[in-house]
Amino acid sequence: MTSTSAEKAARLLREHGRTYAEEAGITLRDAPSPLYQLLVMTVLCSIRIRAKTAIDAARELFTAGLRTPTAMAESTWQQRVDLLGRAHYVRYDESTSTALGEGAKLVLDRFDGDLRNLREEAGGDQDRLIELLQEVPRIGPVGAGIFCREAQAVWHDLRPFFDERSRTAAADLGLPHTARGLSHLVPPEDLARFAAALVRASLSHDKHAD
């Protein structure tokens, strides 16, 4: 670890170190409701759409009370479309409404409404966890990476997790571009914030970390 890399990491945390879960109003804990909210946010972020729009859509859903798979499954397709529309989540509102409804039912039926059961089924195997996440409609490899990147804040066995997007951003900033190399730059409790900071810096074309 060089002092230059450590300084860059510290600056990134100061300037961009807010997780997307925090921005969406999720108080992330190892509990069913916040983990499900993280999954919903992941679904919304898993298409080519501005991150802010996806986060705004998540906040609309949560404010309306759709914070559990039961509440989501009991909502109507049109209610979800309308909530997504309020956040200007356009073009994808109808297909996403369908995906959210089907995903809620899958979480209820497959994991008894508790994503900790998904983690238990994975048995500490990160690749298996990623496979299970991709059973959720709309979530592919990119979405699974987003979920794990944020979930490492409370699922410590995921640490260190840096998805392809955050590793690419790190390389562009002249930082180590492996999870292990990046993990040496910040304390373990800051890994999720650091991963988010890398993505945010990349999206904003931030140059101050140079």
Side-chain angles (χ1 to χ4, degrees), residues 129-195:
L129 180 68
I130 289 172
E131 287 178 4
L132 290 170
L133 285 167
Q134 291 181 76
E135 292 185 14
V136 178
R138 180 63 66 76
I139 294 182
V142 171
I146 293 170
F147 184 93
C148 292
R149 192 177 75 207
E150 299 266 325
Q152 68 179 318
V154 292
W155 286 357
H156 299 170
D157 55 337
L158 278 174
R159 295 176 178 172
F161 190 95
F162 292 86
D163 60 347
E164 183 177 356
R165 194 169 196 176
S166 56
R167 295 194 308 271
T168 298
D172 290 343
L173 291 168
L175 293 170
H177 55 278
T178 66
R180 184 172 182 177
L182 290 166
S183 71
H184 295 311
L185 300 179
V186 299
E189 61 270 20
D190 286 335
L191 286 169
R193 293 178 56 235
F194 184 35

Side-chain angles (χ1 to χ4, degrees), residues 16-29:
H16 300 285
R18 186 185 188 196
T19 67
Y20 286 91
E22 289 173 332
E23 187 179 352
I26 303 169
T27 302
L28 195 57
R29 295 177 291 112

